[in-house]
């Protein structure tokens, strides 16, 4: 780890005014400190934001929730209002990391996790995300864990978060604040596809800080399911994960949400596929068609072709389990 | 402590004073910003019960309790523990009276080489504090952040089950 300066501001504007291109905000530190130990990230200045007043979960006037950026992953997953109204989010968070890491990791930091592509993590090899223009060894190397959707010639990395897949499906909104003021970013727009600039994971500017994540009111709580498929039963990143949520009137689908993790540079949500589910009757055939539509543009690399079949089956299973979730004892 | 202004790179690096409660004792310490809690414990305070296994938050051998919650000391900056109440394996016993989790680990022979044990026990105490493990499967899932390369998992699980069942 390189030497760095340390500050602990107590207000959001103080924090964003301390920031620079060479600084990083730190809260849980579970990913940032790991990257710093590997010399992947070498900030000159860490701005400790844990003293900012962003630790609460509040109800919004429109019936949703506003989650402070510093709420830990564990506190969020086990919060009574999240368990009752957004069980999909609880389930996704608890599917990720370990209890220790969930106690440390923050809501805002979870959104800013960097890929676990092993070439990105190995400073001795090229990587367009780490060193723009240096090349992508994953494209022709070991790419079993890499993207099947939305990748580019420059980058085939995937976003590692489980929580973000649920937040995408729940149409969350990211509240950010910078020196120029505050803005709100729709979750679907927050993370980027790699394109020609894979070094940028999201739309945040250097001086911008995530202050909260907003969940809109919905009627999806009785029929949701997060399915995570990985190489071992616990404490591993997803090969493929599926966040599925339905609002049903009898057997008929009123609202549908479907997002995938482990398959792209960002949580993968396809609104056209969701729209195609609305009005349909719950059936394996309906869900099978949705899976085919969502994956029609999937492109395998040499070692990850299995992910397409895995995702197809995962989508059908997650939607089927979501459809009956509220009917379980 | 004062905030560091922009353009801080030209300034000398400085240590920061922190106060914390460590195993029941109030401590005031000067730490450099890049010192992890694990290195502070092991290298500066001679509390070597917490182990440096992977140093990347993957093995759990460094698990300690911060304000009653289990964390990985290797991914925690000491400077960010200002005001915290920390408990390490050295602070679990009450004098000569072992913590019930320590006693249960001995009774069930829940270790072989012992390297992961301090982290396992601190993690298990954190698990008990959380109150979320109600059956064997939940104990297994919620102990997944602690690896045991000797494979003492079945005895570790039995020790934890006994302590959880003994709770009122």
């Amino acid at each position: 780890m390189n030497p760095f300066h340390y500050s602990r501001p107590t207000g959001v504007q103080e924090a964003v005014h301390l920031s620079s291109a060479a600084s990083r905000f730190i809260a849980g530190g579970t990913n940032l400190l790991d990257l710093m130990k590997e010399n992947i990230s070498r900030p000159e200045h860490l701005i400790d934001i844990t003293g900012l007043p962003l630790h609460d979960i509040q109800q919004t006037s429109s019936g949703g929730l506003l989650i402070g950026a510093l709420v830990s992953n564990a506190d969020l997953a086990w919060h009574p209002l999240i368990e009752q109204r957004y069980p999909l989010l609880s389930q996704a968070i608890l599917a990720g990391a370990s209890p220790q890491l969930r106690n440390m990791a923050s809501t805002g930091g979870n959104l800013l996790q960097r890929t676990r592509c092993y070439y990105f993590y190995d400073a001795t090899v090229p990587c367009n995300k780490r060193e723009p223009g240096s090349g992508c060894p994953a494209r022709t190397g070991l790419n079993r864990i890499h993207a099947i959707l939305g990748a580019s010639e420059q980058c085939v990395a995937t976003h590692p978060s489980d929580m973000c897949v649920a937040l995408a499906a729940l149409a969350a909104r990211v509240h950010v604040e910078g020196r120029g003021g505050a803005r709100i970013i729709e979750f679907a727009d927050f993370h980027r596809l790699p394109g020609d600039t894979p070094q940028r994971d999201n739309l945040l500017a250097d001086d911008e800080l995530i202050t909260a994540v907003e969940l809109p009111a919905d009627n999806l709580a009785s029929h949701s399911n997060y399915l995570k498929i990985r190489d071992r039963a616990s404490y591993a990143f997803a090969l493929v994960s599926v966040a599925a949520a339905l609002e049903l009137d009898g057997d008929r689908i009123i609202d549908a949400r479907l997002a995938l993790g482990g398959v792209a540079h960002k949580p993968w949500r396809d609104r056209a596929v969701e729209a195609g589910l609305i009005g349909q009757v719950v059936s394996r055939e309906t869900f099978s068609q949705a899976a085919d539509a969502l994956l029609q543009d999937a492109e395998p690399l040499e070692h990850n072709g299995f992910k397409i079949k895995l995702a197809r089956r995962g989508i059908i299973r997650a939607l089927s389990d979501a459809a009956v979730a509220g009917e379980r004892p | 402590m004062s905030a560091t202004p922009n353009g801080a790179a030209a300034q000398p690096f400085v240590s920061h004073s922190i106060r914390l409660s460590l195993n029941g004792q109030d401590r005031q310490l000067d730490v450099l910003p890049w010192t992890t809690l694990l290195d502070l414990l092991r290298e500066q305070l001679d509390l070597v019960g917490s182990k440096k296994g992977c140093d990347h938050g993957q093995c759990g051998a460094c698990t300690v309790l911060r304000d009653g919650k289990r964390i990985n000391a290797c991914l925690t900056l000491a400077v960010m523990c200002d005001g915290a109440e920390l408990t390490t394996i050295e602070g679990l016993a009450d004098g000569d009276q072992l913590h019930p989790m320590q006693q249960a680990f001995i009774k069930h022979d829940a270790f072989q080489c012992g390297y992961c044990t301090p982290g396992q026990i601190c993690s298990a105490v954190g698990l008990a504090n959380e109150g979320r493990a109600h059956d064997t499967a939940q104990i297994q899932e919620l102990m997944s952040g602690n690896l045991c390369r000797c494979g003492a998992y079945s005895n570790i699980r039995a020790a934890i089950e006994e302590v959880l069942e003994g709770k009122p």
Side-chain angles (χ1 to χ4, degrees):
Chain A
M1 207 168 355
N2 60 291
F4 53 85
H5 299 279
Y6 171 81
S7 315
R8 192 169 193 271
T10 54
V12 171
Q13 274 302 314
E14 184 189 354
V16 300
H17 278 88
L18 284 169
S19 68
S20 70
S23 72
R24 288 289 179 276
F25 297 117
I26 183 165
T30 54
N31 189 209
L32 178 60
L33 290 178
D34 198 27
L35 292 166
M36 288 170 67
K37 288 182 181 191
E38 298 285 4
N39 281 325
I40 309 299
S41 183
R42 299 175 59 85
E44 293 171 7
H45 178 194
L46 284 191
I47 303 166
D48 174 358
I49 58 168
T50 57
L52 306 190
L54 305 172
H55 293 270
D56 296 328
I57 297 177
Q58 300 163 24
Q59 310 210 38
T60 63
S61 55
S62 53
L65 294 178
L66 191 66
I67 303 158
L70 293 169
V71 175
S72 75
N73 289 181
D75 287 347
L76 183 58
W78 286 333
H79 193 282
L81 288 174
I82 299 294
E83 289 184 317
Q84 285 161 25
R85 298 191 199 170
Y86 305 98
L88 180 68
L89 181 57
S90 284
Q91 206 184 348
I93 293 170
L94 294 173
S98 69
Q100 290 95 317
L101 293 170
R102 293 194 295 266
N103 278 339
M104 304 161 73
S106 68
T107 299
N110 193 303
L111 273 59
L112 303 180
Q113 282 188 79
R114 308 218 68 194
T115 184
R116 272 22 178 234
C117 170
Y118 10 79
Y119 298 101
F120 173 73
Y121 251 85
D122 182 352
T124 65
V125 301
C127 168
N128 288 326
K129 184 178 277 299
R130 183 163 29 75
E131 298 274 347
S134 63
C136 175
R139 265 234 162 247
T140 51
L142 295 171
N143 45 41
R144 181 173 175 273
I145 66 168
H146 291 78
I148 53 172
L149 286 162
S152 69
E153 276 305 310
Q154 284 73 31
C155 184
V156 293
T158 59
H159 195 265
S161 171
D162 292 294
M163 186 177 102
C164 288
V165 183
L167 290 176
L170 295 169
R173 305 166 84 201
V174 186
H175 291 232
V176 309
E177 193 164 332
R179 284 180 213 167
R183 63 176 174 142
I184 296 173
I185 305 170
E186 295 295 329
F187 205 85
D189 302 326
F190 183 81
H191 295 102
R192 300 177 66 254
L193 289 179
D196 293 333
T197 51
Q199 67 272 25
R200 292 196 59 203
D201 293 345
N202 56 60
L203 294 187
L204 274 190
D206 284 334
D207 69 308
E208 281 184 318
L209 176 69
I210 298 173
T211 55
V213 172
E214 181 184 351
L215 291 172
D218 63 41
N219 296 308
L220 302 161
S222 333
H223 294 286
S224 71
N225 186 42
Y226 188 74
L227 174 65
K228 181 173 182 178
I229 305 165
R230 45 190 159 174
D231 280 326
R232 58 180 185 232
S234 182
Y235 201 13
F237 290 98
L239 291 167
V240 171
S241 70
V242 187
L246 299 168
E247 182 184 349
L248 299 177
D249 178 9
D251 271 357
R252 194 159 296 276
I253 298 169
I254 307 293
D255 192 6
R257 305 293 175 80
L258 187 57
L260 298 191
V263 298
H265 198 258
K266 60 186 287 184
W268 192 265
R269 183 181 171 204
D270 187 329
R271 293 194 200 201
V273 172
E274 292 176 357
L277 282 165
I278 293 172
Q280 305 278 326
V281 167
V282 167
S283 73
R284 187 180 172 84
E285 185 55 31
T286 300
F287 297 152
S288 178
Q289 285 170 3
D292 288 339
L294 195 148
L295 294 164
Q296 63 183 341
D297 296 326
E299 282 183 41
L301 299 162
E302 187 181 353
H303 305 112
N304 71 357
F306 74 98
K307 278 193 178 187
I308 297 177
K309 189 181 279 187
L310 198 62
R312 186 179 186 283
R313 292 173 172 174
I315 291 167
I316 296 168
R317 186 173 136 200
L319 283 166
S320 302
D321 285 354
V324 298
E327 292 153 27
R328 286 199 200 112
Chain B
M1 74 197 69
S2 66
T4 306
N6 287 324
Q11 298 178 359
F13 298 108
V14 294
S15 61
H16 296 256
S17 177
I18 60 169
R19 290 186 74 111
L20 47 81
S21 163
L22 179 57
N23 294 331
Q25 287 190 314
D26 286 332
R27 305 290 293 260
Q28 180 149 4
L29 301 160
D30 286 329
V31 295
L32 288 161
W34 49 89
T35 304
T36 63
L37 174 59
L38 183 60
D39 285 343
L40 173 71
L41 293 172
R42 291 181 55 85
E43 307 296 333
Q44 295 180 36
L45 302 176
D46 286 334
L47 292 171
V48 295
S50 308
K51 296 295 188 281
K52 186 180 278 195
C54 69
D55 209 23
H56 291 284
Q58 296 173 3
C59 75
C62 67
T63 303
V64 299
L65 298 162
R66 180 173 63 192
D67 302 326
K69 294 181 176 180
R70 46 184 167 159
I71 61 166
N72 298 112
C74 74
L75 290 182
T76 301
L77 291 177
V79 71
M80 291 176 70
C81 292
D82 189 30
E85 187 177 313
L86 295 168
T87 305
T88 68
I89 189 69
E90 291 89 347
L92 279 181
D94 181 9
D96 289 337
Q97 182 66 37
L98 292 180
H99 187 283
M101 196 66 77
Q102 292 174 305
Q103 290 177 333
F105 267 62
I106 293 169
K107 177 181 168 187
H108 289 275
D109 195 19
F111 37 75
Q112 186 171 321
C113 81
Y115 188 85
C116 72
T117 310
Q120 296 277 2
I121 291 176
C122 285
S123 188
V125 172
L127 170 106
N129 291 345
E130 290 159 10
R132 293 279 175 164
H134 304 299
D135 58 34
T136 303
Q138 287 171 342
I139 292 171
Q140 287 182 175
E141 169 60 30
L142 291 173
M143 286 298 292
S144 67
N146 292 81
L147 304 186
C148 171
R149 293 298 76 191
C150 300
Y153 293 112
S154 58
N155 292 4
I156 292 170
R157 192 184 61 230
I160 296 170
E161 274 180 329
E162 177 172 298
V163 173
L164 294 186
E165 285 164 8
K167 287 195 82 137

